[in-house]
Amino acid sequence: MARATPILAALLAACAGIALYSIMDAVMKELGLAIGAYAALFWRLVAGVAIMTPLFAFGRPRLPARRVLAIHAVRSAVIAVMAIAFFWGIVRVPLAEAIALTFIAPLIALGLAAIFLKEKIGARSILGSLLGLVGVGIILAGQLGAPHRPDSGLGMAAVLVSAVFYAVNLVIARHQAQRAGPIEIAFFQNWFILALFALPAPWLLVTPAAGQWPLVVLAAALAITSLLLLSWAYARAEAQVLLTVEYTAFVWAAIMGWLFFREPLTLVTIAGTLLIVAGCWMAARSRPGIAEPEVEPALL
């Protein structure tokens, strides 16, 4: 009973963290529709820096070694591409479909591990990847003739690009998490990504209206709170225990999409999602160290 209690607490914390990330996605979609994905992400990063800087300074940290700073910088560049592709995409496609497509990332990470880490991929992992690809194909096929925006196809392509960079990010995260804590990662990540996004600011930046600033701060606060909850949960329970919690994001995305954007949830999307999840499960049971989702500090 003593051991069951911490695991239950970790599960509840992880569920809350995923729910907050999903709400943040909905807030960012609202901002993206109003001022564009780039401006929404830029100002959310500004708010994130304002929150994370005092939190980081409060711990009286030391400057990380040059090698660790390089890891922060490289991963930040990957996340910058991933984030702008994702938020640009969800402005154009329903939230539930976008989240379903991102579930393919752990399977892509399997392939990357085989290519760059020379790891052997088993038959179950290959079959799981094929199931996932079929699921993606079903979701994409369901969009043919669907009453969505004219550029919804480009939006889905952007989400898939984001999933590829997310998979690259998973590989880098394994090295980063061994060398830095969540607060340090979130601090440098927000600053590095903001620096990258500041480069095209003179040409692309739009300032939010007065009524939109609370949404900007809310999005940043949701991302950071979710980070802390997920970090706490993954420090107290194995990833394989928390694996199923990651997929609750689809349920929250469907709810948020329906509540705030009146986005319908189709049976085709559900069927494709089930195949992707089944593929991830199969791959995870074959090589759980590669295919399981991981905590993403201030990821999106």
Side-chain angles (χ1 to χ4, degrees):
M1 180 65 67
R3 175 166 174 76
T5 301
I7 292 179
L8 177 60
L11 283 169
L12 292 175
C15 285
I18 294 297
L20 291 181
Y21 261 139
S22 300
I23 296 171
M24 186 268 292
D25 286 341
V27 174
M28 288 296 290
K29 177 164 184 168
E30 179 68 24
L31 285 170
L33 288 168
I35 61 176
Y38 167 79
L41 188 52
F42 178 91
W43 292 115
R44 203 213 74 183
L45 287 166
V46 170
V49 162
I51 295 172
M52 287 308 308
T53 299
L55 284 177
F56 182 68
F58 181 76
R60 297 182 179 179
R62 296 180 178 179
L63 185 66
R66 184 177 301 178
R67 182 177 180 183
V68 177
L69 279 174
I71 295 175
H72 290 328
V74 170
R75 188 175 180 219
S76 295
V78 170
I79 291 176
V81 178
M82 176 189 70
I84 191 61
F86 178 77
F87 289 119
W88 190 88
I90 65 172
V91 169
R92 290 157 177 80
V93 299
L95 278 173
E97 292 177 10
I99 294 299
L101 290 174
T102 63
F103 288 160
I104 200 70
L107 300 177
I108 299 172
L110 275 172
L112 294 174
I115 295 172
F116 297 106
L117 304 180
K118 308 300 180 184
E119 297 193 7
K120 184 177 180 181
I121 305 300
R124 294 184 66 170
S125 296
I126 295 174
L127 181 57
S129 297
L130 291 176
L131 278 177
L133 289 175
V134 171
V136 170
I138 288 176
I139 293 174
L140 293 176
Q143 293 304 304
L144 298 176
H148 289 316
R149 293 174 46 139
D151 56 356
S152 62
L154 291 175
M156 299 188 84
V159 172
L160 286 174
V161 169
S162 177
V164 173
F165 277 86
Y166 179 51
V168 175
N169 162 68
L170 286 179
V171 177
I172 301 174
R174 299 181 187 280
H175 300 286
Q176 186 185 38
Q178 295 173 353
R179 295 167 174 81
I183 297 295
E184 177 184 321
I185 292 172
F187 169 77
F188 283 103
Q189 199 163 277
N190 274 276
W191 270 108
F192 283 154
I193 298 176
L194 178 59
L196 290 172
F197 272 65
L199 296 176
W203 299 276
L204 299 178
L205 192 58
V206 176
T207 302
Q212 293 166 342
W213 282 109
L215 291 179
V216 173
V217 176
L218 176 61
L222 286 170
I224 292 171
T225 305
S226 178
L227 155 67
L228 298 177
L229 285 169
L230 287 169
S231 299
W232 188 90
Y234 273 78
R236 287 159 177 78
E238 295 178 354
Q240 59 184 339
V241 175
L242 301 176
L243 176 63
T244 53
V245 174
E246 301 287 341
Y247 298 117
T248 61
F250 178 79
V251 178
W252 287 109
I255 294 173
M256 294 298 106
W258 180 78
L259 280 177
F260 296 105
F261 307 105
R262 291 294 181 260
E263 297 170 349
L265 181 61
T266 66
L267 291 177
V268 173
T269 299
I270 295 174
T273 303
L274 290 176
L275 282 176
I276 293 173
V277 172
C280 289
W281 262 101
M282 187 169 293
R285 290 178 64 84
S286 175
R287 295 187 61 83
I290 297 295
E292 290 174 355
E294 296 194 13
V295 179
E296 291 310 307
L299 174 60
L300 296 176

